[in-house]
Amino acid sequence: MSRTIAVGLGARSYEVRVGPGLIDRAGETMAPFLKRRRTAVVSDETVWSLHGARLTAALEAAGIAVSPVIVPPGEQTKSFEGLAEVSDRLLALELDRGDVVTAFGGGVVGDLAGFAAAIYKRGVDFVQIPTTLLAQVDSSVGGKTAIDTPRGKNLVGAFHQPRLVLADLDVLATLPEREMRCGYAEVIKYGLLGDFGFFEWLEANGAAVLAREPAALAHAVARSVEMKAEIVAEDETEQGRRALLNLGHTFGHALEAETGYGEALLHGEAVGAGMALAFRFSAAEGLCRTQDATRASTAIGAAGLPTTMAEVRREPFDAAKLVRHMAQDKKAEGGKLTFILARQLGEAFVAKDVDAAAVARFLQAEGAV
Protein backbone atom coordinates (compact mmCIF):
# COMPACT_ATOMS: atom_id res chain seq x y z
CA MET A 1 0.00 0.00 0.00
CA SER A 2 1.31 3.44 -0.90
CA ARG A 3 0.69 6.86 0.62
CA THR A 4 0.27 10.10 -1.28
CA ILE A 5 1.51 13.35 0.24
CA ALA A 6 0.75 16.68 -1.41
CA VAL A 7 3.26 19.50 -1.67
CA GLY A 8 0.95 22.51 -1.80
CA LEU A 9 2.40 25.18 -4.08
CA GLY A 10 -0.67 26.45 -5.92
CA ALA A 11 -0.46 25.82 -9.65
CA ARG A 12 2.89 24.07 -9.12
CA SER A 13 1.62 21.63 -6.50
CA TYR A 14 2.61 17.99 -6.89
CA GLU A 15 2.33 14.62 -5.23
CA VAL A 16 4.92 12.53 -3.46
CA ARG A 17 3.96 8.87 -3.51
CA VAL A 18 5.58 6.59 -0.93
CA GLY A 19 5.32 2.81 -0.99
CA PRO A 20 6.48 -0.44 -2.60
CA GLY A 21 6.11 -1.28 -6.28
CA LEU A 22 5.89 2.29 -7.56
CA ILE A 23 8.53 1.83 -10.26
CA ASP A 24 6.49 -1.00 -11.78
CA ARG A 25 3.58 1.45 -12.19
CA ALA A 26 5.73 4.40 -13.25
CA GLY A 27 4.52 4.37 -16.85
CA GLU A 28 0.85 4.76 -16.05
CA THR A 29 1.66 7.26 -13.28
CA MET A 30 3.91 9.46 -15.41
CA ALA A 31 1.89 9.32 -18.64
CA PRO A 32 -0.42 12.25 -17.75
CA PHE A 33 2.62 14.54 -17.45
CA LEU A 34 4.04 13.69 -20.88
CA LYS A 35 2.97 15.65 -23.95
CA ARG A 36 4.94 13.15 -26.02
CA ARG A 37 5.40 9.54 -24.99
CA ARG A 38 9.13 9.89 -24.33
CA THR A 39 11.46 10.81 -21.47
CA ALA A 40 15.19 11.22 -20.92
CA VAL A 41 16.14 9.26 -17.81
CA VAL A 42 19.21 10.60 -16.02
CA SER A 43 20.74 7.93 -13.79
CA ASP A 44 24.11 6.77 -12.57
CA GLU A 45 25.92 3.60 -13.58
CA THR A 46 25.19 1.79 -10.31
CA VAL A 47 21.47 2.53 -10.15
CA TRP A 48 20.96 1.86 -13.84
CA SER A 49 22.65 -1.53 -13.64
CA LEU A 50 20.45 -2.52 -10.68
CA HIS A 51 17.10 -1.02 -11.60
CA GLY A 52 17.27 0.40 -15.12
CA ALA A 53 15.66 -2.61 -16.79
CA ARG A 54 12.74 -2.51 -14.34
CA LEU A 55 12.03 1.18 -14.97
CA THR A 56 12.48 0.82 -18.73
CA ALA A 57 10.02 -2.08 -18.84
CA ALA A 58 7.44 -0.12 -16.84
CA LEU A 59 7.71 2.94 -19.06
CA GLU A 60 7.75 1.02 -22.32
CA ALA A 61 4.68 -0.95 -21.23
CA ALA A 62 2.85 2.38 -21.19
CA GLY A 63 4.21 3.27 -24.64
CA ILE A 64 6.84 5.66 -23.32
CA ALA A 65 10.20 5.69 -25.12
CA VAL A 66 13.21 5.81 -22.81
CA SER A 67 16.48 7.63 -23.58
CA PRO A 68 19.01 6.86 -20.83
CA VAL A 69 21.58 9.49 -19.84
CA ILE A 70 24.02 7.63 -17.59
CA VAL A 71 26.60 9.42 -15.43
CA PRO A 72 29.33 8.16 -13.08
CA PRO A 73 28.24 7.63 -9.46
CA GLY A 74 29.52 9.87 -6.68
CA GLU A 75 29.42 13.46 -5.47
CA GLN A 76 32.14 14.48 -7.94
CA THR A 77 29.60 14.14 -10.77
CA LYS A 78 27.60 17.02 -9.31
CA SER A 79 29.91 19.60 -10.91
CA PHE A 80 30.10 22.11 -13.74
CA GLU A 81 31.60 19.35 -15.88
CA GLY A 82 28.80 16.94 -14.99
CA LEU A 83 26.18 19.59 -15.69
CA ALA A 84 27.73 20.37 -19.08
CA GLU A 85 27.77 16.67 -19.99
CA VAL A 86 24.13 16.07 -19.04
CA SER A 87 22.99 19.27 -20.77
CA ASP A 88 24.82 18.31 -23.96
CA ARG A 89 23.27 14.84 -23.90
CA LEU A 90 19.79 16.34 -23.53
CA LEU A 91 20.46 18.66 -26.46
CA ALA A 92 21.67 15.72 -28.54
CA LEU A 93 18.35 13.98 -27.85
CA GLU A 94 16.60 17.07 -29.25
CA LEU A 95 14.21 17.34 -26.35
CA ASP A 96 11.79 20.22 -26.63
CA ARG A 97 10.26 22.34 -23.90
CA GLY A 98 7.24 20.04 -23.67
CA ASP A 99 9.33 17.00 -22.82
CA VAL A 100 10.08 15.65 -19.34
CA VAL A 101 13.39 14.67 -17.76
CA THR A 102 13.31 11.83 -15.23
CA ALA A 103 15.83 11.83 -12.38
CA PHE A 104 16.39 8.20 -11.38
CA GLY A 105 18.92 7.89 -8.58
CA GLY A 106 20.09 9.34 -5.31
CA GLY A 107 20.62 12.93 -4.27
CA VAL A 108 23.48 13.56 -6.69
CA VAL A 109 21.43 12.49 -9.71
CA GLY A 110 18.36 14.34 -8.46
CA ASP A 111 20.26 17.58 -7.94
CA LEU A 112 22.14 17.32 -11.23
CA ALA A 113 19.20 16.26 -13.39
CA GLY A 114 16.90 18.76 -11.72
CA PHE A 115 19.31 21.64 -12.31
CA ALA A 116 19.84 20.55 -15.92
CA ALA A 117 16.04 20.50 -16.37
CA ALA A 118 15.78 23.95 -14.79
CA ILE A 119 18.15 25.52 -17.32
CA TYR A 120 17.53 23.37 -20.43
CA LYS A 121 15.82 25.68 -22.93
CA ARG A 122 15.00 27.89 -19.93
CA GLY A 123 13.24 25.10 -18.11
CA VAL A 124 11.54 21.76 -18.72
CA ASP A 125 9.52 19.59 -16.38
CA PHE A 126 11.09 16.75 -14.48
CA VAL A 127 10.03 13.79 -12.37
CA GLN A 128 11.96 12.49 -9.37
CA ILE A 129 12.30 8.74 -8.77
CA PRO A 130 14.69 8.71 -5.77
CA THR A 131 16.54 5.45 -5.10
CA THR A 132 18.25 6.20 -1.77
CA LEU A 133 16.69 6.78 1.63
CA LEU A 134 18.35 10.20 1.81
CA ALA A 135 16.87 11.27 -1.51
CA GLN A 136 13.42 9.88 -0.68
CA VAL A 137 13.08 11.78 2.59
CA ASP A 138 14.93 14.95 1.67
CA SER A 139 16.53 15.97 -1.60
CA SER A 140 13.82 14.77 -4.01
CA VAL A 141 11.16 16.94 -2.34
CA GLY A 142 11.13 20.71 -2.42
CA GLY A 143 12.73 21.71 -5.71
CA LYS A 144 16.25 22.51 -4.56
CA THR A 145 18.66 21.65 -7.38
CA ALA A 146 22.35 22.49 -7.50
CA ILE A 147 25.93 21.52 -8.22
CA ASP A 148 29.03 21.79 -6.06
CA THR A 149 31.99 24.08 -6.73
CA PRO A 150 35.53 24.13 -5.33
CA ARG A 151 34.33 26.97 -3.08
CA GLY A 152 31.50 25.03 -1.50
CA LYS A 153 28.59 22.65 -1.77
CA ASN A 154 25.38 23.48 -3.66
CA LEU A 155 26.43 27.07 -4.33
CA VAL A 156 25.23 27.15 -7.96
CA GLY A 157 21.67 26.01 -8.59
CA ALA A 158 18.00 26.85 -8.89
CA PHE A 159 14.65 26.22 -7.25
CA HIS A 160 12.84 23.98 -9.75
CA GLN A 161 9.97 21.88 -8.46
CA PRO A 162 9.35 18.39 -9.87
CA ARG A 163 5.97 17.43 -11.31
CA LEU A 164 5.88 14.17 -9.40
CA VAL A 165 7.98 12.18 -6.89
CA LEU A 166 7.84 8.39 -6.73
CA ALA A 167 9.56 7.04 -3.61
CA ASP A 168 9.56 3.28 -4.21
CA LEU A 169 10.58 1.57 -0.96
CA ASP A 170 11.49 -1.64 -2.81
CA VAL A 171 14.67 -0.14 -4.29
CA LEU A 172 16.06 0.38 -0.79
CA ALA A 173 16.61 -3.40 -0.56
CA THR A 174 19.76 -2.99 -2.68
CA LEU A 175 21.04 0.08 -0.84
CA PRO A 176 24.36 -0.47 1.00
CA GLU A 177 24.21 -0.23 4.79
CA ARG A 178 26.37 2.88 4.77
CA GLU A 179 23.91 4.64 2.46
CA MET A 180 21.00 3.59 4.68
CA ARG A 181 22.73 5.21 7.64
CA CYS A 182 23.28 8.37 5.60
CA GLY A 183 19.59 8.55 4.79
CA TYR A 184 18.67 7.94 8.39
CA ALA A 185 20.57 11.11 9.32
CA GLU A 186 18.02 13.11 7.36
CA VAL A 187 15.15 11.14 8.92
CA ILE A 188 16.22 11.84 12.49
CA LYS A 189 16.76 15.47 11.50
CA TYR A 190 12.99 15.95 11.23
CA GLY A 191 12.47 14.72 14.78
CA LEU A 192 15.25 16.91 16.12
CA LEU A 193 14.11 20.10 14.39
CA GLY A 194 10.37 20.00 14.89
CA ASP A 195 8.68 16.79 16.09
CA PHE A 196 9.77 15.46 19.46
CA GLY A 197 7.23 12.64 19.24
CA PHE A 198 8.81 11.44 16.00
CA PHE A 199 12.26 11.69 17.61
CA GLU A 200 11.07 9.47 20.47
CA TRP A 201 9.56 7.02 17.96
CA LEU A 202 12.92 6.86 16.17
CA GLU A 203 14.75 6.22 19.45
CA ALA A 204 12.54 3.13 19.84
CA ASN A 205 12.29 2.09 16.19
CA GLY A 206 15.44 3.36 14.51
CA ALA A 207 16.98 -0.10 14.34
CA ALA A 208 13.86 -1.40 12.56
CA VAL A 209 14.07 1.44 10.03
CA LEU A 210 17.72 0.68 9.33
CA ALA A 211 16.88 -3.03 9.05
CA ARG A 212 14.30 -2.06 6.39
CA GLU A 213 11.39 -3.53 8.30
CA PRO A 214 8.51 -2.57 5.95
CA ALA A 215 6.09 -0.91 8.37
CA ALA A 216 8.81 1.05 10.21
CA LEU A 217 10.47 2.12 6.98
CA ALA A 218 7.19 3.24 5.43
CA HIS A 219 6.29 5.32 8.51
CA ALA A 220 9.75 6.92 8.72
CA VAL A 221 9.76 7.93 5.04
CA ALA A 222 6.16 9.14 4.98
CA ARG A 223 6.47 11.19 8.18
CA SER A 224 9.71 12.78 6.93
CA VAL A 225 8.08 13.70 3.61
CA GLU A 226 5.01 15.08 5.40
CA MET A 227 7.17 17.40 7.47
CA LYS A 228 9.21 18.56 4.52
CA ALA A 229 6.11 19.10 2.36
CA GLU A 230 4.54 21.26 5.06
CA ILE A 231 7.66 23.40 5.41
CA VAL A 232 8.21 23.76 1.65
CA ALA A 233 4.59 24.79 1.10
CA GLU A 234 5.04 27.51 3.71
CA ASP A 235 8.47 28.74 2.57
CA GLU A 236 9.44 27.51 -0.89
CA THR A 237 12.58 29.58 -1.44
CA GLU A 238 14.01 29.38 2.08
CA GLN A 239 13.31 32.91 3.24
CA GLY A 240 12.30 31.78 6.71
CA ARG A 241 11.18 28.47 8.22
CA ARG A 242 12.57 26.26 5.46
CA ALA A 243 16.08 27.10 6.66
CA LEU A 244 15.35 24.79 9.63
CA LEU A 245 15.84 21.86 7.22
CA ASN A 246 19.52 22.78 7.21
CA LEU A 247 19.98 21.62 10.80
CA GLY A 248 23.52 20.22 10.96
CA HIS A 249 24.36 21.33 7.43
CA THR A 250 26.52 24.37 8.20
CA PHE A 251 28.90 22.28 10.29
CA GLY A 252 28.45 19.31 7.96
CA HIS A 253 29.17 21.14 4.70
CA ALA A 254 32.36 22.57 6.21
CA LEU A 255 33.51 19.07 7.15
CA GLU A 256 32.66 17.85 3.65
CA ALA A 257 34.65 20.66 2.07
CA GLU A 258 37.71 19.81 4.16
CA THR A 259 37.46 16.09 3.34
CA GLY A 260 37.03 16.64 -0.39
CA TYR A 261 33.36 15.74 -1.05
CA GLY A 262 34.22 12.09 -1.55
CA GLU A 263 34.01 8.64 -0.04
CA ALA A 264 35.91 9.68 3.08
CA LEU A 265 32.80 11.45 4.36
CA LEU A 266 29.41 11.00 2.72
CA HIS A 267 26.80 13.75 2.93
CA GLY A 268 24.56 11.95 5.41
CA GLU A 269 27.52 11.22 7.66
CA ALA A 270 28.45 14.91 7.56
CA VAL A 271 24.88 15.86 8.47
CA GLY A 272 24.90 13.40 11.38
CA ALA A 273 28.12 14.87 12.77
CA GLY A 274 26.87 18.38 12.01
CA MET A 275 23.64 17.91 13.94
CA ALA A 276 25.51 16.58 16.96
CA LEU A 277 27.87 19.55 16.77
CA ALA A 278 24.94 21.97 16.40
CA PHE A 279 23.27 20.62 19.54
CA ARG A 280 26.52 20.71 21.51
CA PHE A 281 27.23 24.25 20.30
CA SER A 282 23.70 25.22 21.36
CA ALA A 283 24.40 23.78 24.81
CA ALA A 284 27.79 25.52 24.99
CA GLU A 285 26.05 28.83 24.22
CA GLY A 286 23.44 28.20 26.90
CA LEU A 287 20.61 27.82 24.39
CA CYS A 288 19.60 24.26 25.26
CA ARG A 289 20.24 21.79 28.06
CA THR A 290 23.38 19.69 28.00
CA GLN A 291 21.27 16.56 28.49
CA ASP A 292 19.33 17.35 25.30
CA ALA A 293 22.58 17.65 23.36
CA THR A 294 23.80 14.39 24.85
CA ARG A 295 20.54 12.60 24.00
CA ALA A 296 20.64 13.91 20.42
CA SER A 297 24.24 12.75 19.97
CA THR A 298 23.42 9.35 21.47
CA ALA A 299 20.51 8.83 19.07
CA ILE A 300 22.62 9.85 16.08
CA GLY A 301 25.50 7.65 17.16
CA ALA A 302 23.18 4.68 17.72
CA ALA A 303 22.57 4.66 13.96
CA GLY A 304 26.28 4.24 13.30
CA LEU A 305 26.78 7.86 12.29
CA PRO A 306 29.72 10.02 13.43
CA THR A 307 28.98 12.55 16.14
CA THR A 308 32.46 14.09 16.61
CA MET A 309 35.16 15.43 14.35
CA ALA A 310 37.54 12.77 15.62
CA GLU A 311 35.18 10.11 14.27
CA VAL A 312 35.24 11.80 10.87
CA ARG A 313 39.04 11.64 10.61
CA ARG A 314 42.00 11.17 12.90
CA GLU A 315 43.88 14.24 11.72
CA PRO A 316 42.54 17.30 13.56
CA PHE A 317 40.57 19.83 11.55
CA ASP A 318 41.71 23.45 11.33
CA ALA A 319 39.09 25.57 13.11
CA ALA A 320 39.87 28.69 11.06
CA LYS A 321 39.46 26.78 7.79
CA LEU A 322 36.14 25.34 8.91
CA VAL A 323 34.86 28.80 9.84
CA ARG A 324 35.94 30.14 6.43
CA HIS A 325 33.89 27.41 4.76
CA MET A 326 30.92 28.38 6.92
CA ALA A 327 31.26 31.98 5.76
CA GLN A 328 30.67 30.69 2.19
CA ASP A 329 27.48 28.90 3.23
CA LYS A 330 24.34 29.90 1.32
CA LYS A 331 22.65 30.98 4.56
CA ALA A 332 25.42 33.46 5.41
CA GLU A 333 24.35 37.06 4.89
CA GLY A 334 26.50 40.17 4.87
CA GLY A 335 29.49 38.18 6.08
CA LYS A 336 27.58 37.04 9.19
CA LEU A 337 27.32 33.36 10.09
CA THR A 338 23.89 31.75 10.20
CA PHE A 339 23.28 28.47 12.00
CA ILE A 340 20.30 26.29 12.78
CA LEU A 341 20.53 25.82 16.54
CA ALA A 342 18.32 24.18 19.16
CA ARG A 343 16.31 25.27 22.17
CA GLN A 344 15.41 21.67 22.99
CA LEU A 345 14.83 18.33 21.30
CA GLY A 346 12.19 18.92 18.63
CA GLU A 347 12.63 22.70 18.58
CA ALA A 348 15.24 24.24 16.30
CA PHE A 349 15.52 27.86 15.27
CA VAL A 350 17.45 30.05 12.82
CA ALA A 351 20.27 31.92 14.56
CA LYS A 352 21.67 34.80 12.53
CA ASP A 353 24.77 36.86 13.26
CA VAL A 354 26.47 34.03 15.14
CA ASP A 355 29.88 35.07 16.46
CA ALA A 356 32.58 33.44 14.32
CA ALA A 357 35.04 33.62 17.20
CA ALA A 358 32.63 31.67 19.42
CA VAL A 359 32.30 29.01 16.73
CA ALA A 360 36.08 28.78 16.43
CA ARG A 361 36.48 28.40 20.20
CA PHE A 362 33.82 25.69 20.25
CA LEU A 363 35.52 23.80 17.40
CA GLN A 364 38.83 23.97 19.23
CA ALA A 365 37.17 22.63 22.36
CA GLU A 366 35.82 19.79 20.16
CA GLY A 367 39.34 18.93 19.03
CA ALA A 368 40.09 21.24 16.09
CA VAL A 369 43.38 23.15 16.10
Side-chain angles (χ1 to χ4, degrees):
M1 173 183 268
S2 64
R3 291 187 58 186
T4 299
I5 298 148
V7 182
L9 291 168
R12 291 174 299 105
S13 297
Y14 56 94
E15 293 180 347
V16 182
R17 302 189 184 186
V18 177
L22 296 179
I23 289 175
D24 301 314
R25 302 191 295 275
E28 61 192 72
T29 309
M30 289 174 56
F33 301 98
L34 306 179
K35 294 181 180 178
R36 294 192 292 175
R37 290 295 179 106
R38 63 179 296 196
T39 183
V41 179
V42 181
S43 189
D44 70 37
E45 295 158 356
T46 302
V47 170
W48 193 251
S49 68
L50 289 168
H51 307 294
R54 182 180 167 210
L55 178 62
T56 298
L59 293 174
E60 290 182 344
I64 300 169
V66 177
S67 299
V69 177
I70 310 303
V71 300
E75 189 79 23
Q76 295 86 342
T77 297
K78 210 174 83 171
S79 62
F80 278 110
E81 293 78 13
L83 178 65
E85 174 67 20
V86 170
S87 299
D88 185 64
R89 295 281 300 280
L90 297 180
L91 289 165
L93 291 171
E94 299 182 349
L95 299 185
D96 62 34
R97 293 180 73 181
D99 286 322
V100 172
V101 172
T102 300
F104 184 46
V108 167
V109 165
D111 273 8
L112 180 62
F115 189 25
I119 62 176
Y120 180 83
K121 295 186 177 180
R122 295 190 175 93
V124 297
D125 286 339
F126 82 115
V127 169
Q128 287 266 23
I129 306 181
T131 60
T132 66
L133 179 59
L134 190 152
Q136 290 186 358
V137 302
D138 187 65
S139 60
S140 67
V141 182
K144 277 177 150 186
T145 71
I147 58 172
D148 301 336
T149 81
R151 294 185 181 275
K153 188 176 177 70
N154 296 331
L155 293 181
V156 177
F159 287 96
H160 188 53
Q161 299 292 343
R163 294 298 305 279
L164 174 71
V165 181
L166 300 177
D168 188 336
L169 301 179
D170 287 343
V171 298
L172 301 181
T174 61
L175 197 66
E177 295 293 336
R178 187 181 183 192
E179 292 286 354
M180 278 296 295
R181 292 194 295 271
C182 285
Y184 186 81
E186 296 285 359
V187 172
I188 199 171
K189 177 187 76 175
Y190 291 103
L192 289 169
L193 71 86
D195 187 344
F196 178 61
F198 186 43
F199 173 75
E200 287 188 306
W201 183 88
L202 289 169
E203 284 185 308
N205 296 279
V209 175
L210 289 166
R212 289 166 255 219
E213 193 278 318
L217 184 61
H219 177 69
V221 174
R223 180 58 188 141
S224 299
V225 171
E226 283 176 344
M227 289 188 68
K228 183 156 193 183
E230 175 190 336
I231 292 170
V232 168
E234 179 183 320
D235 179 23
E236 180 182 3
T237 58
E238 203 173 288
Q239 302 302 306
R241 189 181 173 209
R242 184 169 180 174
L244 295 176
L245 296 171
N246 289 306
L247 175 64
H249 286 59
T250 304
F251 283 111
H253 284 170
L255 296 175
E256 282 185 278
E258 279 298 288
T259 53
Y261 299 117
E263 289 295 312
L265 180 68
L266 301 183
H267 177 64
E269 294 165 341
V271 170
M275 290 189 296
L277 288 166
F279 264 84
R280 291 202 295 275
F281 180 62
S282 299
E285 292 294 292
L287 300 169
C288 79
R289 300 181 305 170
T290 300
Q291 51 263 49
D292 282 351
T294 300
R295 188 172 171 185
S297 294
T298 298
I300 294 165
L305 293 161
T307 61
T308 66
M309 291 185 291
E311 291 175 82
V312 171
R313 75 176 189 193
R314 291 183 179 180
E315 178 188 354
F317 287 91
D318 184 314
K321 285 184 178 180
L322 291 174
V323 171
R324 283 198 294 272
H325 287 302
M326 294 170 189
Q328 292 289 323
D329 188 86
K330 299 182 299 301
K331 299 182 296 302
E333 296 180 4
K336 304 296 185 181
L337 298 182
T338 298
F339 283 83
I340 312 306
L341 300 178
R343 293 191 178 94
Q344 60 185 7
L345 292 165
E347 186 181 345
F349 69 100
V350 181
K352 298 194 173 185
D353 198 12
V354 174
D355 182 20
V359 176
R361 288 193 298 272
F362 166 74
L363 290 170
Q364 288 169 345
E366 287 278 323
V369 296

